Amino acid sequence: LQQNAALAVEGNMAICQDTGMVVVFLDVGQEVHLVDDYLEDAVNEGVRRAYAKHFFRNSVVSNPLQRENTGDNTPAVIHTRIVPGAQVRVRLAPKGFGSENMSRLSMLKPSQGWSGVRRFVVDTIMAAGGNPCPPLVVGVGIGGTMEKAALIAKEALLRPIDQKHSEPGLAALEGELLDAINETGVGPQGFGGAVTALGVNIEWYPTHIAGLPVAVNINCHAARHREIVI
């Protein structure tokens, strides 16, 4: 893994042949006025140009069942929200599917509490084994609804792994989960060892009294993402 990473830097090439399906989080300031091209068309055009310029693999099919390749890795998956201010924050992650396929979601009972969440996360990593190319970065979303839990789990992956949650309680839980995952012994590439995950990032959202949604979104060791503010 270390040699592969060094060669990727030296040759200015992708670290893995799976250059992902592009996921974009856009925070658009409510004072921003966008002109000319439609926003999502502009994002997809950027993806199209980038994948052609750098010879990245086109991995997107237009129909999930017929499986015809779109030929330019579009469309991206775009999440847009309106926020205060006069800037646009763009966060981009080319998400490989070796790790994406091992992600899971569960609608736990509220009575299962933290112990249920912990068990579900660890069981997910154990079931994944070497498939998502560990060592991993693990995003955990707790609360909201089914789709909200999944969304914040993916958004959690965009936080640097050396940046713990701002709430001390959640930061402690991130550390507890990281220790529990590394105690599984899955190890790098599933060959065994003490480093199954490099980091665990948790995000939460208020939820209904009758539910405890939990989503686990997994990133491989590459964990590619970038942020820019315009």
Side-chain angles (χ1 to χ4, degrees), residues 2 22-23 68 76 85 92 98 105 118 138 148 155 161 163 165 168 172 180 182 184 187 199 202-203 209 219 230:
Q2 292 175 332
V22 178
V23 180
E68 182 179 354
L92 181 145
L105 180 141
R118 186 182 188 277
V138 182
K148 184 65 174 180
E155 192 170 9
I161 59 174
Q163 180 184 320
H165 201 283
N182 285 332
T184 63
I202 299 175
E203 295 295 339
I209 57 173
N219 241 347
I230 304 171

Side-chain angles (χ1 to χ4, degrees), residues 1 10 12-14 30 35 43 51 53 59 64 90 93 97 137 154 162 180 182 194 217-218 222 229:
L1 293 178
E10 180 183 334
N12 191 29
M13 64 184 72
Q30 64 180 4
V35 297
V43 171
Y51 274 68
K53 178 180 179 180
S59 303
V90 182
F97 263 57
V137 179
K154 177 151 287 169
D162 59 353
N182 285 332
N217 198 222
I218 299 174
V229 177

